[in-house]
Amino acid sequence: MDGPEPQRRKPSIYDVAARAGVSHMTVSRVLNEHPNIKAETRDRVRAAIAELSYTRSTIARALATNRAMRIGVLVDAPLHYGPSRTLLGFERAARARGYAVSVYSVEDEGSPVVEAGVEELLSHGADALAVVAPRASSLDGVRRTALGVPLLLFRADPDPDAITVSVDQAAGVDLAIAHLVDIGHREILHIAGPTDWYDACSRTAAWEQNLRTRGLVVRTPLYGDWSSDSGFDLASDPAPWEGVTAAFVANDQMALGVIHGLRSRGVRVPEDVSVVGFDDVPDAGHFWPPLTTVRQDYDALGRLGVERLMDLLSGSEAARSDVVEPRLIVRRSTAALAH
């Protein structure tokens, strides 16, 4: 009677090197995306990897590099669209580079919770820490903790103690306002996000600066909490909307509520008031009317964050602050001003 079939040995980096006709060090450089590799050699190594179904061992890489091959991520307010999509984009990019990701979510405000999260992530032996901390209160908690590892912040403003990456908030606001002005609007109200959120403050400041630069009246912003309910409530009161022909809303969920609130009192969108959102959530094209909005590419943001951390961990010169450019997606919630 035949015995059990012996297990096949997993292919090693040396097998890949032999198949591609290169050294194992060349294979390692290709795996680590070293820039000084000829395109022909890179293609040959990648073909050998695919033919052999080779996968890298995280343990082996950790031993070879004297790293844990792990990045800790502290994510604040994870139930909101922006933080959750930023986390997902970062995780995908880190795992593609062979790094495991440990996540600690913070739902309650307060530095003790944040500090406990940072300490837990560092206790796992993380090589670096990434922080998705949209609220100032959470970042304060991070700063009170001794890190000892490279720090990446997802925020718009440069930081002296960390690498920062973000979607260019000012550019996104400029796209939205330029679109509204180009189609004839001059009375543009801003529905802002919470004042403790960095991106909300950046969008409000950019909106105000944009209007002042164009010589337009700056109305007092209305502040919501990112929810559709808050957008509805702010649009239901007619007083702040007197004479307004367009609204720039700090996120798509509030924009949904704004459209509902305006319609509930007989104001048509876009015939009477045009509405622009921010984010381009997956359902934005199915709002009624479909929402004109600023798209933030969170996958590109995640890749950029990982690239900058890899630069830092490898000893390369890393840009201290970098941005992803947003795009304006024009749909039917905006229309030329009817004179």
Side-chain angles (χ1 to χ4, degrees):
M1 196 172 176
D2 293 336
E5 185 177 336
Q7 273 193 324
R8 291 183 59 190
R9 180 178 65 86
K10 289 183 65 174
S12 70
I13 193 171
Y14 297 97
D15 297 321
V16 174
R19 176 67 63 93
V22 298
S23 71
H24 74 279
M25 288 302 296
T26 298
V27 176
S28 177
R29 291 188 183 101
V30 171
L31 289 169
N32 289 294
E33 300 185 11
H34 196 283
N36 299 328
I37 299 289
K38 292 181 180 178
E40 179 187 353
T41 303
R42 192 182 305 276
D43 292 343
R44 201 161 69 244
V45 170
R46 286 175 174 168
I49 289 170
E51 290 168 14
L52 296 173
S53 299
Y54 169 75
T55 56
R56 286 183 287 182
S57 165
T58 302
I59 295 174
R61 283 194 72 197
L63 291 172
T65 61
N66 197 28
R67 296 181 195 158
M69 302 306 297
R70 179 175 298 277
I71 299 173
V73 182
L74 181 92
V75 57
D76 181 22
L79 298 181
H80 288 276
Y81 181 74
S84 66
R85 287 291 297 136
T86 301
L87 172 62
L88 181 59
F90 183 83
E91 281 189 289
R92 284 174 176 165
R95 287 178 177 141
R97 298 293 290 266
Y99 276 75
V101 176
S102 297
V103 179
Y104 190 98
S105 296
V106 177
E107 295 183 38
D108 300 320
E109 292 187 63
S111 61
V113 179
V114 173
E115 290 169 28
V118 172
E119 290 171 1
E120 180 171 320
L121 290 170
L122 294 177
S123 72
H124 294 163
D127 297 311
L129 183 67
V131 179
V132 185
R135 295 181 288 195
S137 54
S138 294
L139 189 52
D140 289 343
V142 173
R143 294 191 190 285
R144 278 191 282 270
T145 309
L147 299 179
V149 297
L151 175 64
L152 168 71
L153 300 178
F154 287 95
R155 61 169 296 189
D157 299 323
D159 190 283
D161 302 317
I163 298 171
T164 62
V165 294
S166 69
V167 175
D168 191 332
Q169 301 295 303
V173 175
D174 184 60
L175 289 171
I177 302 304
H179 169 64
L180 291 171
V181 170
D182 287 347
I183 58 178
H185 295 280
R186 299 294 181 269
E187 296 289 341
I188 303 170
L189 181 63
H190 180 41
I191 311 302
T195 56
D196 189 38
W197 285 61
Y198 289 114
D199 284 353
C201 293
S202 295
R203 290 168 204 171
T204 301
W207 162 80
E208 181 175 344
Q209 181 61 44
N210 235 285
L211 265 57
R212 292 194 187 284
T213 299
R214 298 173 189 275
L216 302 179
V217 173
V218 178
R219 293 170 173 262
T220 302
L222 305 181
Y223 290 92
D225 63 8
W226 298 130
S227 70
S228 299
D229 286 345
S230 70
F232 178 85
D233 291 342
L234 293 171
S236 298
D237 178 6
W241 295 81
E242 186 67 33
V244 169
T245 67
F248 167 56
V249 188
N251 78 327
D252 290 349
Q253 288 304 118
M254 287 197 300
L256 175 61
V258 164
I259 293 171
H260 185 193
L262 291 173
R263 285 185 159 180
S264 71
R265 56 186 182 86
V267 178
R268 300 170 299 167
V269 176
E271 293 87 352
D272 301 321
V273 174
S274 286
V275 175
V276 178
F278 211 99
D279 278 339
D280 196 27
V281 299
D283 294 333
H286 300 286
F287 289 10
W288 193 252
L291 184 65
T292 295
T293 186
V294 176
R295 175 177 294 169
Q296 303 199 82
D297 188 340
Y298 290 105
D299 287 331
L301 182 61
R303 290 193 299 272
L304 180 62
V306 170
E307 286 168 12
R308 293 296 166 265
L309 271 184
M310 295 301 104
D311 289 343
L312 205 60
L313 288 169
S314 66
S316 302
E317 187 68 27
R320 300 300 298 176
S321 183
D322 213 341
V323 296
V324 171
E325 293 301 322
R327 290 175 54 203
L328 180 70
I329 308 299
V330 178
R331 299 190 179 101
R332 292 171 58 189
S333 68
T334 53
L337 181 64
H339 296 286

